[in-house]
Amino acid sequence: MITDLTVTVAAEPPPDWDDTIEPEQAFAKAAWLTLFDGRTSAERVWFALRRNGVLVAGMPGHVQREPSGYPLLDVDLLNPVTSPFLDQAGPADPVTSPGLELPCLWLVMPGLTTFTIGPGAADPATGARLVDAIERWAASQGFATVIAPYTSAQDTALSSALAGAGWIDVPLTEEAWLVVPAGGWAEHLATLPQHRRKQLRRERRHLAEAGVVTGLARPDELDACARLLVQQRTKYGRLTTLDQERAQLDRLRRLADHVVVVARAGQDGSPLSFVLFSVLGADWHAMATGTDYTDERANRAYFEVLFYAATDHAAAAGARRICYGHGTVEAKRRRGCDMVGVTAWLSGSGDAERRAQVARAWKERG
């Protein structure tokens, strides 16, 4: 019988936290959560359900008391006028599109994902108990909003627990996964429609004719990759510096085994595009990418390192899947990714009608 819930409000988790986490769930580890430093509040919360003192299910949280300025982890995430997922639905009426209330408790991990850790994670009854305990604690602390923002449709135990507790569902986006066949990109390509195969072969041929070659990054190219990352951030309106992006790449490289795939302008040329993949068990996750948008070859080079060459490297390493995250849904679907629905679930002790209004406004945009 599950006898107690422990709630730890501190930068560091309970001592046994990391021991319960499977390799593919490493985003929930304490070290990974440091990636949120500077983007979310320093107030972290660790929820752990225990049976006879042993952790059976848990979830980390972050407290937001003021606007964060980071749109993917801010109460305007579900504002259908300002959300970063605006490109996936139609226009909204700003008069009827309120944001969520503060203070807010976020149940989220790096990789922009929400899931339960521990041996009881797949058990619906355990999930229901954890959700109820989190909701009760959040109410006792006066959180107007509690949000599980990036819950995969494949996580049926958590989704069922949230729905059963009466949380409001908001269909936010889709997450892209590519199943890696033993034969790499050529084997995957053979599964796509004929017209798509011709298009992608032509794309790769033009890139090769332009003298672009791909491979794994050399140590002396990582600074150039950081410069490309600055270009990527700037293109999408993120203010950053070279020092910040160097530090981010260094953090990612220290956190887990990783593979950096690079497209170069010639065998010894400078990088045109790169992707850093974090290796979590049998899964690869695309965690950082940058492209030289001043070069006309760059767009094709981006797809080469992200999909085609990456699938070959992943197959050679024995990887099972590659996760490409959210956004740019059609480009990923055209390249044969499986698209999985991602739902934001809402609760809290604040204005219930306001949360319902947010959900309605979002759903009406489709």
Side-chain angles (χ1 to χ4, degrees), residues 17-345:
W17 183 270
D18 284 1
D19 297 338
T20 68
I21 296 173
E22 298 294 329
E24 287 78 11
Q25 293 185 324
F27 286 140
K29 288 190 172 184
W32 273 99
L33 290 167
T34 63
L35 287 179
F36 284 156
D37 291 351
R39 293 178 174 176
T40 64
S41 162
E43 291 183 74
R44 291 199 185 106
V45 188
W46 312 84
F47 299 98
L49 277 181
R50 297 179 180 275
R51 181 184 291 112
N52 299 324
V54 177
L55 194 155
V56 294
M59 190 179 291
H62 303 267
V63 175
Q64 182 188 7
R65 301 189 187 279
E66 302 291 340
S68 72
Y70 182 58
L72 294 170
L73 294 172
D74 190 77
V75 287
D76 274 344
L77 174 71
L78 299 181
N79 187 322
V81 177
T82 60
S83 171
F85 294 106
L86 280 174
D87 63 333
Q88 296 176 38
D93 178 1
V95 176
T96 61
S97 303
L100 297 171
E101 292 179 283
L102 292 170
C104 179
L105 175 65
W106 290 79
L107 305 172
V108 64
M109 285 149 267
L112 296 179
T113 183
T114 301
F115 57 82
T116 306
I117 69 164
D123 175 55
T126 301
R129 178 70 186 276
L130 179 63
V131 167
D132 178 68
I134 291 173
E135 196 166 25
R136 289 176 181 274
W137 181 86
S140 74
Q141 302 298 308
F143 284 100
T145 304
V146 185
I147 180 170
Y150 298 104
T151 306
S152 170
Q154 292 182 335
D155 192 342
T156 55
L158 179 57
S159 298
S160 178
L162 295 166
W167 291 40
I168 297 174
D169 65 305
V170 181
L172 182 62
T173 184
E174 294 178 292
E175 185 175 61
W177 290 87
L178 189 147
V179 176
V180 179
W185 179 256
E187 184 176 341
H188 175 74
L189 184 65
T191 67
L192 301 184
Q194 183 179 27
H195 73 282
R196 189 71 64 207
R197 296 199 301 270
K198 288 182 178 180
Q199 178 188 24
L200 298 181
R201 287 192 184 108
R202 182 169 59 247
E203 185 177 294
R204 298 195 80 185
R205 186 172 62 251
H206 288 168
L207 198 62
E209 291 170 352
V212 175
V213 297
T214 60
L216 300 182
R218 302 185 298 263
D220 63 348
E221 291 179 311
L222 294 177
D223 194 66
C225 289
R227 294 179 186 278
L228 296 179
L229 191 51
V230 171
Q231 282 202 45
Q232 183 85 5
R233 305 287 198 217
T234 302
K235 178 183 178 182
Y236 292 101
R238 291 268 308 281
L239 297 177
T240 188
T241 67
L242 181 58
D243 286 344
Q244 287 175 319
E245 298 310 330
R246 280 196 195 108
Q248 180 74 345
L249 287 179
D250 285 342
R251 281 194 294 270
L252 288 170
R253 292 168 59 217
R254 288 194 303 269
L255 282 168
D257 291 340
H258 59 277
V259 176
V260 182
V261 184
V262 172
R264 304 181 184 93
Q267 190 64 44
D268 298 314
S270 59
L272 294 172
S273 189
F274 86 96
V275 180
L276 183 150
F277 294 92
S278 292
V279 180
L280 306 185
D283 294 340
W284 286 23
H285 291 259
M287 295 299 292
T289 182
T291 298
D292 181 2
Y293 294 105
T294 67
D295 193 302
E296 63 182 9
R297 299 167 292 184
N299 189 53
R300 288 191 178 118
Y302 167 77
F303 290 115
E304 177 69 27
V305 295
L306 187 64
F307 293 103
Y308 319 142
T311 304
D312 285 334
H313 287 293
R320 181 184 59 169
R321 301 183 302 173
I322 302 175
C323 180
Y324 290 107
H326 315 126
T328 58
V329 168
E330 287 308 313
K332 295 168 183 175
R333 184 178 283 116
R334 286 197 297 268
R335 287 162 178 83
C337 289
D338 297 324
M339 307 307 298
V340 179
V342 174
T343 298
W345 292 89

